[in-house]
Amino acid sequence: MNPVKNEKNEGQSYWTQSERYLWLAVLFSGTSILYFARVAMPITMPTVAREYSWNKVDSGIILSCFFWGYALTQVPGGNLSDSMGGDYVLFVAAIGWSLLTFCTPDLIHIFGGPIGVIWPIVLGRSILGLCQGVHFPSVSSLLSKKLRTAEKTFFLSFVFTGAPVGMLLNGSLGSYMLNRFGWQSVFRCAGVLGLTWAVVLRYIMLTYKKASSSKECEDGKIEIESKVPVMKNSVPWGILFQSPAFWCMLFAHFAETNTFFIMMSWLPIYFSEVFPGGKGWIFNVVPWIICPVFGLIGGWVAQQLIIKGWGITLVRKLFEGCGLYPTSLLLILIGYQSSYIGALVSLAVAMGLTKLTLSGVVANPLDIAPTCAGTVYGMMNTMGAIPGFLGVYITGYILEIFQSWKMVFNFTACLNIIFCSFFLIFGTAKPIVPMSGVS
């Protein structure tokens, strides 16, 4: 059965074509700036660590503590978005993480210099994670309400490819600013960009609300099919926790984010140590050029397959497998690379392939829980945030004690293979949350 042809409105107010283009640009740019701010610390860490005499354990704690806060706001952020609107949550959070990013150099200068303690810096990074943690659940909630089934995969893939674009922007512009103006300028620029985006988002929210109100007044009545349904606050956790599809989705996302966060946090240090002659702007840019290409092509192909009648479950599993299995092989091979070009190409392709999962497990919450996608995505991303603090910290510990990058890559590859296999066996795109969640 073709899910597109048989889809019913279910009372949803879908975006028009012009609105889709507008929100696509807004959400994509917001995700890009969010990641520009997020990777400011990993990009500048080698320089900051030398200046303040941080060892790898200190660096690992400071890099990973972001995810302590990031994990805590995933579910609350998704639940708030399902209840009051993802756009509003995005706006408030953007104000918070932009200001914190802008002030990070001051925090490091005060406590990392004369005082020589890192815990206030750790606290600041954790609060930054709290603010950024609501972003993706809020986006998922917004898209689940405003897009039809056939539109969701490509739209979500496009918006989420803003993450590697933001990293690309920081790897290029950030690296230039780091060398030209000092590491503090990277944080200042990210903070200003974030505040600017928040203002633009608020303007569009008010404009959209005003246009919707004017249309209702002109019509003289509110058509029932044009209104977004009111979601019940309760999420059927009992149904979700009893479903193997829910759990394998969580662990598959855990594996993908483990790869992503370790590479995001430690990639500059890996190339600086193993290939000290390599130019920073090259290894900070090349992997993130490949990621958007794979993500966009994967999203477009997945959307075409769904439109042509392919089962959504089959499409999700196909892209998840194509994303994680080849990535695992490349990660293992990287441990044996002695060539700078070989390591760079292998890592770039590996990171690009992980973006195929945007059409796989990352889109799965919109399939299995369409009435509470923000909350379910938040739960999934809570699991996905664990590698951000645990995996990144363990990587620092392994490197400090065993001095082995090969061990890091092999362990990461094993997790990918195991948890991707679980998703291919037990995963589904059929709704497991009843549509009665809409009142």
Side-chain angles (χ1 to χ4, degrees), residues 309-329:
W310 283 48
I312 300 178
T313 298
L314 175 60
V315 172
R316 298 288 181 250
K317 291 183 177 182
L318 173 65
F319 281 86
E320 190 68 18
C322 290
L324 291 188
Y325 283 147
T327 295
S328 303
L329 177 60

Side-chain angles (χ1 to χ4, degrees), residues 20 35 40 52 78 104 107 111 149 176 187 224 237 262 320 332 365 427 430 433:
R20 287 200 303 273
Y35 261 81
Y52 291 96
T104 295
L107 197 63
F111 295 100
T149 299
Y176 172 78
F187 292 93
I224 214 149
W237 293 115
I262 289 176
E320 190 68 18
I332 293 171
K430 296 179 180 179
V433 174

Side-chain angles (χ1 to χ4, degrees), residues 193-418:
L193 287 174
L195 289 171
T196 303
W197 180 77
V199 172
V200 172
L201 173 64
R202 185 58 179 167
Y203 173 78
I204 292 173
M205 289 167 58
L206 294 174
T207 303
Y208 180 72
K209 182 178 180 181
K210 182 178 179 181
S212 300
S213 300
S214 298
K215 184 177 179 181
E216 290 175 2
C217 292
E218 290 174 2
D219 292 342
K221 60 180 180 178
I222 301 176
E223 298 291 344
I224 214 149
E225 63 269 17
S226 70
K227 298 305 293 177
V228 176
V230 178
M231 304 295 179
K232 293 182 178 179
N233 291 327
S234 60
V235 178
W237 293 115
I239 296 175
L240 291 169
F241 289 155
Q242 293 175 31
S243 170
F246 175 74
W247 287 105
C248 71
M249 177 189 73
L250 298 188
F251 283 105
H253 189 59
F254 175 95
E256 188 273 326
T257 56
N258 182 65
T259 302
F260 181 77
F261 288 141
I262 289 176
M263 296 301 104
M264 181 184 76
S265 299
W266 290 101
L267 199 60
I269 298 176
Y270 166 74
F271 279 105
S272 297
E273 289 189 352
V274 180
F275 305 102
K279 295 183 181 296
W281 71 267
I282 294 179
F283 57 72
N284 284 333
V285 167
V286 171
W288 313 120
I289 291 178
I290 304 297
C291 287
V293 175
F294 277 80
L296 293 176
I297 292 176
W300 182 83
V301 172
Q303 177 172 284
Q304 297 307 308
L305 293 177
I306 293 172
I307 290 174
K308 290 181 179 179
W310 283 48
I312 300 178
T313 298
L314 175 60
V315 172
R316 298 288 181 250
K317 291 183 177 182
L318 173 65
F319 281 86
E320 190 68 18
C322 290
L324 291 188
Y325 283 147
T327 295
S328 303
L329 177 60
L330 286 169
L331 288 174
I332 293 171
L333 292 177
I334 290 167
Y336 297 91
Q337 289 282 359
S338 58
S339 163
Y340 171 72
I341 298 299
L344 181 64
V345 171
S346 297
L347 272 171
V349 175
M351 294 308 297
L353 286 168
T354 62
K355 297 300 107 179
L356 295 181
T357 64
L358 293 175
S359 301
V361 77
V362 176
N364 205 214
L366 281 68
D367 304 321
I368 67 173
T371 61
C372 51
T375 305
V376 173
Y377 186 93
M379 184 66 185
M380 182 180 76
N381 222 28
T382 299
M383 178 69 80
I386 293 175
F389 57 85
L390 185 61
V392 172
Y393 175 76
I394 289 176
T395 298
Y397 183 83
I398 290 173
L399 294 174
E400 186 72 23
I401 302 300
F402 299 102
Q403 306 287 319
S404 175
W405 285 101
K406 185 184 296 184
M407 184 181 297
V408 172
F409 292 131
N410 290 346
F411 181 69
T412 304
C414 288
L415 289 180
N416 284 342
I417 292 171
I418 293 171

Side-chain angles (χ1 to χ4, degrees), residues 23-24 27-28 31 139 143 154-163:
W23 280 98
L24 184 68
L27 296 175
F28 174 82
T31 303
V139 170
L143 300 190
F154 177 73
F155 200 105
L156 182 138
S157 297
F158 194 101
V159 171
F160 281 24
T161 52

